[in-house]
């Protein structure tokens, strides 16, 4: 794990599964370029949660790639450094993460997305496929604190399960 030696805070976790994840993503043919189906999924995720930003995010050893992206102005960068944001924590932990106000959590408040982008709340869940590989995440973020609550957690987990089913259907030749 990486540590900030000045504050002794845990930063981006070490991801030992990244090489196997990348191999699995390549076999599935996802995570390298924008995908209209994933963009549509991100649009629906934003609508369901009322969040201004939503992503379908695949993570390799060095960066995050938003294969599905919804932003208020329909623009946005598809790539982000691995040490920016909260999705790498979700992938390594293999559990959903709810941050109603990132500033309430010293571990997460110092993340570069807070100062550089203005992110104040995060809700994300891992995309764990049938092989047990955590492929990435689905997530929503806001520039204001958000009371996601239990319903938000249930929603993001259900949406992750739905997207994994879509990915499995693709793999099986159904889409």
């Amino acid at each position: 794990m990486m540590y900030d030696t000045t504050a002794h805070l845990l930063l981006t976790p070490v991801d030992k599964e990244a090489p196997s994840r990348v191999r699995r993503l390549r076999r599935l043919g996802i995570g390298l370029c924008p995908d209209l189906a994933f963009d549509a999924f991100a649009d629906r995720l934003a609508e369901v949660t009322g969040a201004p930003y939503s992503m379908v995010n695949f993570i390799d050893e060095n960066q995050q790639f938003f294969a599905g992206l919804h932003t208020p102005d329909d623009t946005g960068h598809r790539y982000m450094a691995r040490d920016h944001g909260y999705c790498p924590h979700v992938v390594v932990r293999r559990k959903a993460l709810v941050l109603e106000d990132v500033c309430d959590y010293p571990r997460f408040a110092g993340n570069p997305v807070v100062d550089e982008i203005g992110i104040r709340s995060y809700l994300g869940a891992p995309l764990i496929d049938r092989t047990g590989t955590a492929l990435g995440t689905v997530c929503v973020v806001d520039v204001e604190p958000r009371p996601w609550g239990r319903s938000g957690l249930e929603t993001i987990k259900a949406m992750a399960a739905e997207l994994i089913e879509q990915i499995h259907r693709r793999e099986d030749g159904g889409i």
Side-chain angles (χ1 to χ4, degrees):
M1 296 188 182
M2 295 172 46
Y3 291 90
D4 176 347
T5 55
T6 60
H8 303 292
L9 296 177
L10 177 65
L11 299 178
T12 306
V14 171
D15 183 358
K16 295 179 181 173
E17 295 182 6
S20 61
R21 175 184 320 101
V22 170
R23 286 191 298 275
R24 179 72 174 137
L25 288 168
R26 299 307 171 257
R27 280 194 298 274
L28 291 168
I30 58 178
L32 287 173
C33 59
D35 185 302
L36 292 176
F38 293 152
D39 279 342
F41 189 89
D43 289 343
R44 194 161 67 79
L45 182 58
E47 182 179 328
V48 166
T49 62
Y53 300 90
S54 65
M55 286 77 69
V56 174
N57 186 8
F58 299 109
I59 303 170
D60 67 20
E61 295 99 330
N62 304 307
Q63 65 186 1
Q64 304 175 68
F65 175 68
F66 306 126
L69 180 64
H70 173 90
T71 64
D73 58 5
D74 292 326
T75 63
H77 299 285
R78 295 273 180 170
Y79 292 94
M80 183 180 290
R82 192 177 165 279
D83 63 348
H84 284 51
Y86 309 105
C87 290
H89 294 271
V90 171
V91 167
V92 171
R93 289 169 23 125
R94 304 172 64 85
K95 294 188 337 186
L97 179 62
V98 179
L99 300 172
E100 294 183 343
D101 185 344
V102 298
C103 294
D104 289 343
Y105 303 89
R107 175 180 184 182
F108 298 114
N111 193 284
V113 298
V114 176
D115 291 332
E116 293 175 16
I117 304 171
I119 300 304
R120 285 293 301 275
S121 61
Y122 172 90
L123 177 65
L127 295 168
I128 301 174
D129 78 349
R130 62 175 61 137
T131 69
T133 304
L135 301 173
T137 68
V138 293
C139 69
V140 294
V141 297
D142 201 336
V143 295
E144 301 292 332
R146 291 281 300 263
W148 303 112
R150 178 154 306 281
S151 65
L153 177 61
E154 290 170 2
T155 297
I156 200 73
K157 289 166 73 174
M159 296 293 286
E162 181 181 320
L163 186 58
I164 279 296
E165 287 304 314
Q166 285 183 23
I167 290 169
H168 289 162
R169 282 193 302 275
R170 278 186 185 198
E171 183 179 28
D172 296 340
I175 294 181

